[in-house]
Amino acid sequence: MTEIQIAPNLPQWMKDHVDRYLSSGGNDGHMYKITLPNMPELTVPSLLLITKGRKSGQKFLFPLFYGRAGKGYFVIASKGGAPEHPGWYRNLMANPDVEIQVGTAKMKARARVASGEERAKLWKEGVVFWPPYADYQVKAGSREIPVVVLDPVA
């Protein structure tokens, strides 16, 4: 089995967050507290997403904020408003079978991109739990930031 690596090029605060999440088995780190400039402290739910690298075949772990989508979860492929999609998104477009950890629960899931009314609804929910997403979409210009649903599979 391929060893899982924390995604390369993550900022230190994300690496620290992943370390806390993993070392506690998901008891600490699931609800992430952060204070942004000119905003009150936010408490945002986070999950760990494991994708298979589209080129390397290596498994990579990414910490992401999430919301609920029916029996599953959704994440937003913002990359902070960069003009290109994040690597984890490109990985799951090549292989939608992923693993996730939500708090202490670990499961396999299948990723799909939300569209139409579903995307609009989930996007609005995402902006509620992480208001910077609205600014990220402005920064992203013509790139519509994808909303990805992670449906658990047996």
Side-chain angles (χ1 to χ4, degrees), residues 12-124:
Q12 190 60 48
W13 71 269
M14 286 181 135
K15 291 177 185 176
D16 294 343
H17 174 69
V18 169
D19 288 344
R20 192 170 67 247
Y21 207 120
L22 292 173
S23 67
S24 72
N27 288 307
D28 184 21
H30 174 233
M31 298 305 290
Y32 186 76
K33 292 183 188 233
I34 187 169
T35 302
L36 300 172
N38 304 314
M39 292 186 72
E41 181 180 76
L42 294 172
T43 300
V44 189
S46 67
L47 59 73
L48 301 178
L49 172 71
I50 299 169
T51 65
K52 185 176 179 183
R54 65 198 174 283
K55 296 176 187 172
S56 68
Q58 174 67 44
K59 288 186 175 184
F60 292 106
L61 184 149
F62 301 86
L64 301 169
F65 297 145
Y66 77 90
R68 292 300 309 242
K71 293 181 180 180
Y73 307 91
F74 75 92
V75 292
I76 296 182
S78 68
K79 197 175 181 184
E84 70 280 346
H85 296 310
W88 64 262
Y89 175 81
R90 294 190 310 260
N91 287 348
L92 62 79
M93 289 296 92
N95 183 356
D97 295 319
V98 299
E99 298 169 50
I100 57 176
Q101 181 173 344
V102 183
T104 59
K106 295 179 182 181
M107 65 201 79
K108 294 184 184 297
R110 177 158 289 225
R112 63 180 175 81
V113 178
S115 61
E117 288 181 19
E118 180 186 36
R119 184 204 179 275
K121 175 184 175 292
L122 297 177
W123 176 262
K124 284 181 186 176

